[in-house]
Amino acid sequence: MINFHKVSCTFGSPDAGVKNISLNIGDDDFLFLVGPNGSGKSTLLRLIYMDCFPDSGIVKIKNFRSNKIRQKDIPKLRRNIGMIFQDFRLLPDRDVYQNVAISLYISHYKAGQIKKAVHEKINQLNLGHRVHYKPEQLSGGEKQMVAIARALIKDPIVILADEPTGDLDPRSSIEIIDELYKINQNNRAVIVATHDYDLVKRVPDAQIVSLKDGEITSII
Ligand SMILES: Nc1ncnc2c1ncn2[C@@H]1O[C@H](COP(=O)(O)OP(=O)(O)OP(=O)(O)O)[C@@H](O)[C@H]1O
Ligand SMILES: [Mg+2]
């Protein structure tokens, strides 16, 4: 479903970004991107989200190709992708319900449809008792669960998570990774960039792509 063919993206500097990446990611894969700071994990996720583009090579996601896509089709691509960030990126002045619903409001879904979908996701992620809390009233783990609910609300085919447990304690980190694993068991591809090898060990059968200096050093 996602295919990197000899992709380099170096931001104009030979020691930045990623180099010569070839990688196939299937519909129901769980894939970890691991490697030290600056090894290219976030760049790979940004290439999938088409937030940056290769200098050479092609990234393909379903029928979207990095060398052919038009600016106006990028939102269509992104509808297929749920993105989760380390720093959550929730709207501070909105409650949990509104944060999860936001993309449905923007796409003009009907009020009844929004209510049903949002409550379903909020309950699925055990946030029912927090529905009218603002982000500042939530713990880090709860904020990340809200970010996951928001990423899932449009039923994307792939979830990208960039260090989703970076600032969380071990127990919350395990809850987050277990939640991502459940999503994967529901036939969604999940790609997680992380430093944390304990988390990697928690997911049976995950593929582990190791990066160093922008290049893949191993795939296991
Ligand atoms: N927009 C940019 N312009 C120039 N260099 C960049 C840009 N984005 C990333 N880089 C460089 O590319 C390299 C890879 O960065 P990237 O953010 O992908 O690493 P990472 O593995 O996600 O690191 P971290 O673990 O710190 O998040 C780094 O050396 C970084 O400085
Ligand atoms: Mg990063």
Side-chain angles (χ1 to χ4, degrees):
M1 177 196 36
I2 299 176
N3 174 265
F4 283 74
H5 180 70
K6 296 185 179 170
V7 173
S8 295
C9 170
T10 60
F11 307 106
S13 155
D15 55 1
V18 294
K19 279 148 238 140
N20 199 27
I21 302 288
S22 291
L23 186 63
N24 282 312
I25 302 164
D27 287 359
D28 51 8
D29 284 359
F30 196 119
L31 188 137
F32 284 106
L33 297 172
V34 297
N37 290 124
S39 57
K41 304 180 295 294
S42 298
T43 304
L44 275 192
L45 296 179
R46 290 182 61 202
L47 284 161
I48 296 172
Y49 203 58
M50 297 206 189
D51 186 32
C52 60
F53 287 87
D55 316 325
S56 60
I58 298 174
V59 183
K60 207 175 107 192
I61 297 119
K62 288 180 73 185
N63 297 322
F64 299 95
R65 288 166 180 270
S66 59
N67 59 337
K68 298 240 172 80
I69 193 164
R70 290 168 297 183
Q71 194 66 35
K72 76 173 176 56
D73 290 328
I74 289 177
K76 282 188 205 156
L77 161 77
R78 291 185 182 164
R79 255 173 245 158
N80 294 290
I81 302 174
M83 187 79 186
I84 300 165
F85 301 93
Q86 175 174 356
D87 59 357
F88 323 122
R89 304 203 188 174
L90 302 176
L91 300 169
D93 56 337
R94 305 294 171 94
D95 66 13
V96 167
Y97 181 95
Q98 290 165 325
N99 266 285
V100 175
I102 186 81
S103 67
L104 303 181
Y105 289 136
I106 291 169
S107 304
H108 304 295
Y109 280 54
K110 291 194 183 115
Q113 243 179 326
I114 295 179
K115 200 167 167 188
K116 184 164 176 286
V118 172
H119 281 295
E120 202 177 287
K121 280 291 165 268
I122 284 179
N123 291 331
Q124 185 189 330
L125 293 161
N126 299 321
L127 292 163
H129 57 311
R130 297 285 186 257
V131 69
H132 294 305
Y133 279 43
K134 299 268 175 67
E136 64 182 14
Q137 299 170 298
L138 300 171
S139 73
E142 287 169 339
K143 278 188 240 189
Q144 196 55 299
M145 286 294 181
V146 176
I148 294 176
R150 179 186 57 187
L152 290 176
I153 195 74
K154 284 181 134 183
D155 201 18
I157 57 170
V158 55
I159 304 286
L160 308 180
D162 197 354
E163 314 251 7
T165 63
D167 291 330
L168 304 181
D169 65 29
R171 197 171 134 238
S172 304
S173 299
I174 285 172
E175 284 174 13
I176 296 294
I177 219 73
D178 288 353
E179 207 49 62
L180 293 171
Y181 182 59
K182 273 192 231 159
I183 294 165
N184 176 247
Q185 294 293 295
N186 272 320
N187 302 315
R188 298 288 178 274
V190 175
I191 306 174
V192 179
T194 185
H195 293 114
D196 187 344
Y197 285 88
D198 285 338
L199 290 183
V200 173
K201 284 189 243 150
R202 256 194 101 75
V203 182
D205 308 325
Q207 279 194 67
I208 305 166
V209 174
S210 301
L211 291 163
K212 188 166 179 266
D213 300 332
E215 297 188 76
I216 294 178
T217 53
S218 72
I219 303 180
I220 47 175

